[in-house]
Structure formats: C-alpha cells, structure tokens
Amino acid sequence: MMPHPLTRRRGVLVVVLLGWVAGAACQREPVDRAVLNAWLTCVECTDGELDSVQALARRAPATVDTLQKDLLQGPSPFQRDQLTVQMQTSYQRLATYNANDPTSDSLGFSQAEFVARYLGNVVMIYQGRAAYGLGAIGGIRARQALDSALQFSPDSFPPNVWAQIHFARDSLIGP
Amino acid sequence: MKLASLIEEFHLKKAAAAIAVLLVVAAYLIRSGAPGSPTVVAVEVTPILTSLPTGGIQDFTAVGRYSDGSTTPITVTWSATGGSISPSGHYQAGPTAGRYRVIAVQQRGSLTDTSAVTVTGNGFSHERESFPDSTQGVATGGGDTDQVPPPQVVAVELTPAGVALAVGTTQQFSFIGSMSDNTTTAILADWTTSDSYGTIDAAGLYTAGGTAGTFRVIAMHQGGSLADTSAVTVTDDGAAGTGDVVHVSGVSAVEDKWLLQDSNIGGACPSDVVGRFSGPDTSLAETDPDCNIELAVFAAGSAPVLDLAPGWIAGGQDIQEQLPVRWTVPIHVVVEYAESGFDPSAEAKEASRLFEINRMGIEIVIDGPISTIDPSTALGAAILGGCDAFQKDGNSNDNPYMVAGHLNVFYVREDQWSQDWTFRKFYGYDCVDEGLPEVIFIRQGHLLETLAHEIGHALSLQHAGAGFAPFFLQFGWPESNLMRTSIWDPSETSNPIVSSFTTGQVYRANFHDESWLNSGGIRSEAKKTCQSVSATDMPAASVSWPCPLLQLDWP
C-alpha cells in the first residue's frame, strides 16, 4: 500500500512536537544553587567550580538569569544579616585574642569598620564572580545580562565589581 | 480522520512485526541476563545472631547481595536446627537450649547463608547442621564394592560463629568440614567479609577496620558450595575510631601538651595526613596509605608533654624532652594599594588566632615595616604578574620586595590584579606549585580568613576534599575546615564562615617536609623528619625531634 501523501508532513510534525517536548523538559532543569555558591565564594577556584557553572548553564539556561540576579543584588538580605552577625562574632573573638596578647597593640579599628570592610568584600566577591561567570558562559543572554548591568551608573557597584563586569563583557566576542 | 486510515498510514503491520522482534529479544535478554547486569553473589540472612528462649519465635529474612553491592529480597529455602522454621522464615526454637543455626539456601542457586541462634534455657547442646554439598554430592558407589569412596564434606562450620572485636584488632577463624564418614577436618575456604573497612586473608585471619558495626565473615568451601557465616561486631571505644587499640584522652583543654588523636575524621581517611602508624613499626610514618593511625598533635603552648590515656604503653623512645613548639612565623607584607582603613595586621592576627585555637602551634606576626610596590616600574609590574615573576629571577630572595625567612604577602589592588583570565578567578593564592610557598598574593576584596587559608597552603596543606561543599562531608571533612575552597558558605545558615583545621592538617603542617615551617628553615631547631630514630640517636639534650616513637599496645 502506498503511503498517504500527508504522511511525511505529519511525520515532520511529530518530530517537531517531540523536539519541543524534549526541549521544554531540558529547560525545566532547575538551577543548582550549590554549584553557583561554590563558584561565587571560592578563594582560588581551582577545583573546577567555573567549569561546573558552565556545564550547569548548558543544562539549565536559567543559570544566566540567576547569575544576573546575583550580579545585581549580591547576597540576599538574610545572608547579609547572617554574615553581619558572624563578622561581629569574629571581631569580638579577635579583639579578645588581641587583648590577651601583651605584645600586641590595639586592633586599631572598630567593630563597625571591621564588619563594613569584610561584609563589603563578601558582596564584592559575590557580585564580581557572578559577572565573571556570565562572561565565561557567554552567548547572547549572558552578553545581554552584562550589557544590562553596564547600563547602571558605575557607582551602582563597588569599583571592583564594576571592573569585573567590564572585564567579563570585554572578553566576550561580538557587539 | 478515521483511526483505520491512521493505522494504515503508519504501517501497523510492519510496526507490529518490529515490536514482536523487540519483544523476543527483550525476553531473551531478561531470561539470560543482559551483559553487565549485576548478579547475585551472596545470600545474607537477617538477623545474623539471635538469642531466644526455648519456644521463642524469630522471623528471619534473606536478601541477595548483587555484584554491584545492592541488595534485594530473594527467595530461599529455609532449614534450621534446634527448632522449626516455616517456608517464610518464621523460626520457633525447640525445647532444648543450645546453639543452633538457621540456614537459607538460594532457590535455583547454590548460595547459602547461616544465622546463629542461641536458645537459652537449662542445659546446653550443640547441633550442627547437616547440609549436603550439592557439587560434591554423596558417593553412590560403583561396580567395585571393595572400593571405599573418599569421604565427602556434608556440612561446614565456621568458628567462632560470632565475635566482638575492637577496631583494628584481629580474629583467626576456623573452617571445619563434617565428613560423610562422621569425621571432621579443616577444609579450605574462600574468605570474604562484608566489612569494607576490614580485611580477611586467605588463611582466615580477619582484621577489623576502623569503623564500628556488625559485619559478616563468609567462608565458602573451595570447590564446593557449602558456606557458613560468622557475625562480627566491631566496636569502637569512642575515643579514637580507626584501627587502633590505643585509648586516647581526647581533646584536652589543658595547654602545653601533646595530644594523641585519631586521624580518622568522620569515618574517612584524609588524603593529606602524615604520621600514619599501622602498628608498632613507625617506619611507616608518612608513607602508610592506610588510615590505621594515631596522630601526635601540637597544642598551642610551648612545652609538649605526651598526654597518654590509661592503657597506652609508651615506647621507651617516646619524647624524652620538652621543646618549644610555638614557632613565630614572620610575614612580610607588601601592599600595592593603600585603601583607606586597610590594616593587614587584622588578618595576620586572625590567622594567628585561628592557628592557635586549632592547636597549630605557630604564631603569625608581621615582622618589619610594610613595603609598597610601584606598579609603574618594570619590577613592580612583573611582580604583580604573579608567581612567574618570581621564578624568572631564579631566586626569590633576590627580589627586593622579598624578605628572606619570611612569608611574603602581596596585597594587590583590583585594577592591578593580573588580567590573565585564569588569575582573575583567584582572590588569593600561594606560589607553592611554583616552588615558592613563601610567596602569597591576596587580592583586594578578600575575606578575613583568606590569609590563614593561603598560609595553610604554604604549610603544605591542600584543599580539604575536592570540589565544592556537598562533597566535603563525603570525604569526611568538617564543613568548617579552613582549607575548603570556599571559606564562606551561603547555604550554611548557622556558621557560614569556616574556622577550623583538622588534627591531621595540624600534624602535616608541622611535620611534612614540604611545609614551609620545615622547608623555609623557620625553626631554630633541626627540621622534623618524622623518621624513626633510635634512642641512642636522640639524647636528652638533642634538638633533633623525630616523630614520637610509639609502642602501641597491639595484641
């Protein structure tokens, strides 16, 4: 029996539908926050943290959106509160340790200065790494995310983060 | 569109034929076992041991252990001594006290397992199961009636049937065959154990591993199919945990003491621990890959005294003198930027504090004035290029920004940080891989603990585990370890910033050849080598301080 003249068209339709379903399934893969956290907070990042982020972005395109949010917002308010408490504790321990050392001078900075400095650094690393990650992922969406960040005024970010955004954007090819 | 026409379009007949072929192939694969699919390698009965009163009841279950390590319930044929057992494994002890067995035989197979049952009551009797060896069978005789067939193994017994052992200790097992001529004899066995931490050799000598638990020793008759199982309960005294019989006092709050601690951290063997003793032979120090070790750990104070718990038998060549252990580690700070309020002494003090609370036995002190680098000069620019700049001159001490005998810490401003894509990832690094552990770079925007982390590298410590946070527990590393790649963990709600070293890391930092404490000549005393030295080589006044020679109370 000869095939129906519409068979090929329907076959193509089935293939397209299957592809759409498969593609939708892929896009639903959630962004693994642990992978991003490892990258956003590592010191030397020599254990494949960035490679993992790039791989994650291939499986979960929403990774770019998450990193863009991390770049723009930094750690969440809850995380900042936690860090503040932690750093206050660190300062007090350090001050106690220093006070017990008869050979040591005073710390020379207040708790507020201490917390402001190191909390600022955490935020700086966090946002800077987000920018760097976008640059490493590349592609149109990442470029758009970086371009979008550059639409802000430079003083919207710590200088280091602003430099990181430029570095990441400049490393991407294309307008 | 009608269904019939659709069916016609998709050539149902051809599809049906293809499906039929596939079904036939699938059925064949299911029947024969797909290549590489796991196979049952052992039958395991639970409970391994049980004690019942006369007439008591116990339900037994059997699982098959597969070649991939997984288990699943399996159909077995039950038999028992000293009582009765139903086809479902429901055992009822008989009226006579004694030690009996419940035996499970794999249906459509030859694998067996045995559980020991102790029936309590008045009197004691011991029955041994009689269980024909299917592969050897029983001689049926031949045409020559004068020929006496050789006795066959009709039952096997592994002794002891159950034993409790401390971690790291040994037990010799015996495998006895009951022969068809009513004699018994030792027979050869293939030995295995379910204790992945322990070992058993070809002679049946079992060595308990470092992890407590209930395991099995299985002896299978070589050339036959009869097997017996013994239950081994490995106990830990709680003070140590790995391969030792040494009672350790634990973490003492008393300063100025050595502490002896187990290197086993969270059930895993850290990869970068030295000073491993698998037995009395301390020549294995630094080379033994096993985790059967004890560690000598520095306290923060200055006069080490061996702190032994009751039960420890100190060798005659243990530490016989007291030496200062609080070495001052001088650091020379070079800054490329002078950010308002920046004070590197805070980080040095924090590093010193972290090393002290973790009993590293060293103190970090900024020694001398802080230098500054002018990036507009050729040398300044080269230095800011990273470790390679120091390698090019062949001798880091020739570099005018370096101070010999110091850890040299370069604080670099963000816009002067290397533009190399790789180096952009770092917020701090140590040039240990370039052979210059005394050179540390720290980038503007670092965390308070970054200096302590980088000094850790200079002291030969590697990253704790590999990969990111979720894997640390897998490797047994505390989440709070300072040598994590991430020293701030956003997912950790209670203690997001880490602050600990393990005792193994402390030991390594102090003893390892590649630790800058040793390679950098920081100590005024001779370098510690962790090698065995005889008593005559270590007079009381000697400054040579090898690893403590410990005589473990090995059985």
Side-chain angles (χ1 to χ4, degrees):
Chain A
M1 182 180 293
M2 292 295 292
H4 190 282
L6 293 178
T7 297
R8 177 170 293 179
R9 186 178 299 172
R10 288 201 182 91
V12 170
L13 180 62
V14 168
V15 169
V16 168
L17 284 172
L18 287 174
W20 178 81
V21 169
C26 288
Q27 288 185 345
R28 281 198 296 270
E29 177 164 343
V31 176
D32 188 341
R33 192 68 235 183
V35 171
L36 291 184
N37 285 346
W39 163 245
L40 295 173
T41 62
C42 52
V43 179
E44 288 119 340
C45 311
T46 55
D47 290 326
E49 292 89 347
L50 183 58
D51 295 336
S52 298
V53 169
Q54 290 174 302
L56 177 65
R58 287 191 289 272
R59 301 192 310 271
T63 300
V64 169
D65 304 325
T66 306
L67 280 177
Q68 183 181 20
K69 182 181 175 185
D70 291 334
L71 167 60
L72 297 177
Q73 300 180 1
S76 69
F78 175 70
Q79 289 171 332
R80 292 182 197 228
D81 289 345
Q82 284 185 314
L83 283 163
T84 299
V85 171
Q86 183 73 18
M87 288 172 180
Q88 288 170 342
T89 303
S90 292
Y91 179 86
Q92 290 157 12
R93 288 173 178 163
L94 184 59
T96 301
Y97 173 79
N98 193 59
N100 291 331
D101 184 355
T103 66
S104 183
D105 299 329
S106 65
L107 282 178
F109 42 84
S110 68
Q111 176 173 299
E113 291 169 334
F114 178 90
V115 171
R117 173 178 183 78
Y118 289 107
L119 180 59
N121 282 356
V122 168
V123 174
M124 197 156 56
I125 291 176
Y126 197 92
Q127 292 181 295
R129 284 274 170 66
Y132 189 107
L134 288 168
I137 292 170
I140 295 174
R141 294 179 67 186
R143 185 163 63 237
Q144 289 173 339
L146 291 167
D147 286 339
S148 174
L150 289 171
Q151 296 304 309
F152 288 86
S153 64
D155 57 3
S156 301
F157 297 94
N160 289 9
V161 177
W162 188 249
Q164 282 283 66
I165 298 170
H166 272 287
F167 178 82
R169 178 61 183 87
D170 292 345
S171 68
L172 293 176
I173 300 173
Chain B
M1 182 172 291
K2 292 181 179 179
L3 179 62
S5 62
L6 277 174
I7 292 173
E8 188 177 67
E9 288 173 15
F10 285 99
H11 308 277
L12 179 60
K13 290 180 180 177
K14 291 180 181 177
I19 290 171
V21 170
L22 287 173
L23 287 174
V24 169
V25 171
Y28 171 78
L29 288 175
I30 291 171
R31 183 181 177 84
S32 61
S37 61
T39 57
V40 180
V41 295
V43 172
E44 293 181 1
V45 173
T46 302
I48 307 171
L49 283 173
T50 190
S51 180
L52 297 171
T54 53
I57 290 172
Q58 173 70 51
D59 286 322
F60 288 87
T61 59
V63 297
R65 181 165 295 280
Y66 283 78
S67 51
D68 63 357
S70 63
T71 60
T72 190
I74 192 171
T75 304
V76 297
T77 301
W78 295 98
S79 60
T81 60
S84 60
I85 190 165
S86 73
S88 63
H90 185 74
Y91 176 84
Q92 182 166 25
T96 305
R99 296 170 60 200
Y100 302 102
R101 293 174 182 275
V102 167
I103 304 149
V105 181
Q106 177 192 22
Q107 288 189 2
R108 293 187 300 277
S110 59
L111 299 173
T112 68
D113 193 19
T114 305
S115 175
V117 179
T118 300
V119 177
T120 57
N122 296 327
F124 176 87
S125 64
H126 178 79
E127 295 182 16
R128 183 180 303 142
E129 72 280 12
S130 178
F131 187 59
D133 186 327
S134 60
T135 60
Q136 296 198 9
V138 177
T140 55
D144 185 354
T145 55
D146 293 334
Q147 183 177 356
V148 179
Q152 303 296 312
V153 178
V154 295
V156 295
E157 183 175 21
L158 176 63
T159 55
V163 65
L165 299 171
V167 292
T169 59
T170 59
Q171 173 68 47
Q172 178 66 55
F173 284 91
S174 299
F175 196 47
I176 303 296
S178 295
M179 312 303 289
S180 54
D181 60 359
N182 293 324
T183 63
T184 59
T185 186
I187 55 176
L188 295 175
D190 291 323
W191 300 92
T192 56
T193 175
S194 64
D195 180 4
S196 59
Y197 305 99
T199 59
I200 189 163
D201 66 14
L205 180 65
Y206 169 82
T207 302
T211 301
T214 301
F215 307 103
R216 295 164 188 268
V217 166
I218 304 153
M220 175 165 278
H221 180 205
Q222 284 188 5
S225 63
L226 296 180
D228 197 6
T229 303
S230 176
V232 179
T233 302
V234 178
T235 58
D236 185 355
D237 58 13
T242 302
D244 63 78
V245 290
V246 177
H247 296 275
V248 183
S249 61
V251 177
S252 169
V254 181
E255 295 289 349
D256 303 333
K257 291 213 174 185
W258 278 69
L259 296 175
L260 294 174
Q261 292 206 317
D262 200 281
S263 71
N264 185 288
I265 301 162
C269 186
S271 61
D272 67 345
V273 171
V274 296
R276 295 175 171 175
F277 308 139
S278 64
D281 183 5
T282 53
S283 66
L284 295 175
E286 288 193 288
T287 59
D288 180 12
D290 295 326
C291 206
N292 303 326
I293 62 178
E294 294 299 323
L295 295 177
V297 179
F298 283 106
S302 60
V305 175
L306 208 57
D307 183 19
L308 297 175
W312 182 283
I313 302 174
Q317 301 160 27
D318 278 329
I319 299 168
Q320 299 180 14
E321 58 195 301
Q322 298 181 5
L323 291 173
V325 296
R326 185 167 181 164
W327 292 280
T328 297
V329 177
I331 65 173
H332 170 232
V333 174
V334 186
V335 297
E336 185 277 324
Y337 69 108
E339 185 182 6
S340 175
F342 173 67
D343 181 2
S345 68
E347 286 140 33
K349 287 175 183 174
E350 177 67 359
S352 200
R353 187 184 74 82
L354 291 170
F355 289 159
E356 177 164 329
I357 64 174
N358 288 291
R359 302 175 181 277
M360 189 71 85
I362 58 177
E363 181 179 20
I364 309 298
V365 173
I366 295 179
D367 184 41
I370 295 174
S371 303
T372 57
I373 287 181
D374 181 357
S376 66
T377 65
L379 180 58
I383 287 173
L384 297 177
C387 303
D388 289 344
F390 293 87
Q391 285 189 304
K392 287 172 183 172
D393 70 5
N395 183 348
S396 60
N397 292 333
D398 290 344
N399 189 311
Y401 291 109
M402 299 279 288
V403 175
H406 289 60
L407 285 177
N408 293 271
V409 184
F410 293 83
Y411 285 94
V412 182
R413 188 172 49 192
E414 170 68 22
D415 59 1
Q416 295 295 334
W417 193 258
S418 172
Q419 294 302 301
D420 179 87
W421 179 255
T422 299
F423 279 85
R424 294 297 298 182
K425 292 193 297 187
F426 302 155
Y427 271 85
Y429 61 93
D430 181 273
C431 297
V432 64
D433 289 342
E434 289 77 13
L436 295 168
E438 69 270 33
V439 178
I440 291 172
F441 283 89
I442 294 181
R443 177 180 174 183
Q444 184 181 9
H446 55 277
L447 301 181
L448 178 65
E449 296 80 5
T450 302
L451 178 61
H453 177 97
E454 299 305 335
I455 292 177
H457 284 314
L459 302 184
S460 80
L461 302 184
Q462 298 159 2
H463 281 157
F468 32 85
F471 297 115
F472 282 100
L473 290 179
Q474 176 184 334
F475 285 102
W477 288 94
E479 284 188 289
S480 61
N481 194 275
L482 266 165
M483 297 313 294
R484 285 177 43 163
T485 56
S486 298
I487 55 180
W488 173 58
D489 185 355
S491 64
E492 174 59 52
T493 57
S494 60
N495 186 24
I497 292 181
V498 299
S499 59
S500 73
F501 289 107
T502 67
T503 53
Q505 288 172 314
V506 172
Y507 197 93
R508 180 185 172 100
N510 277 280
F511 277 127
H512 199 280
D513 284 345
E514 293 176 5
S515 169
W516 186 70
L517 288 176
N518 296 316
S519 65
I522 296 307
R523 294 186 171 97
S524 57
E525 307 88 16
K527 188 181 78 173
K528 312 307 180 291
T529 63
C530 254
Q531 298 299 311
S532 297
V533 177
S534 68
T536 55
D537 292 335
M538 194 173 67
S542 172
V543 294
S544 176
W545 192 10
C547 283
L549 301 180
L550 304 175
Q551 179 180 327
L552 307 182
D553 51 349
W554 214 253

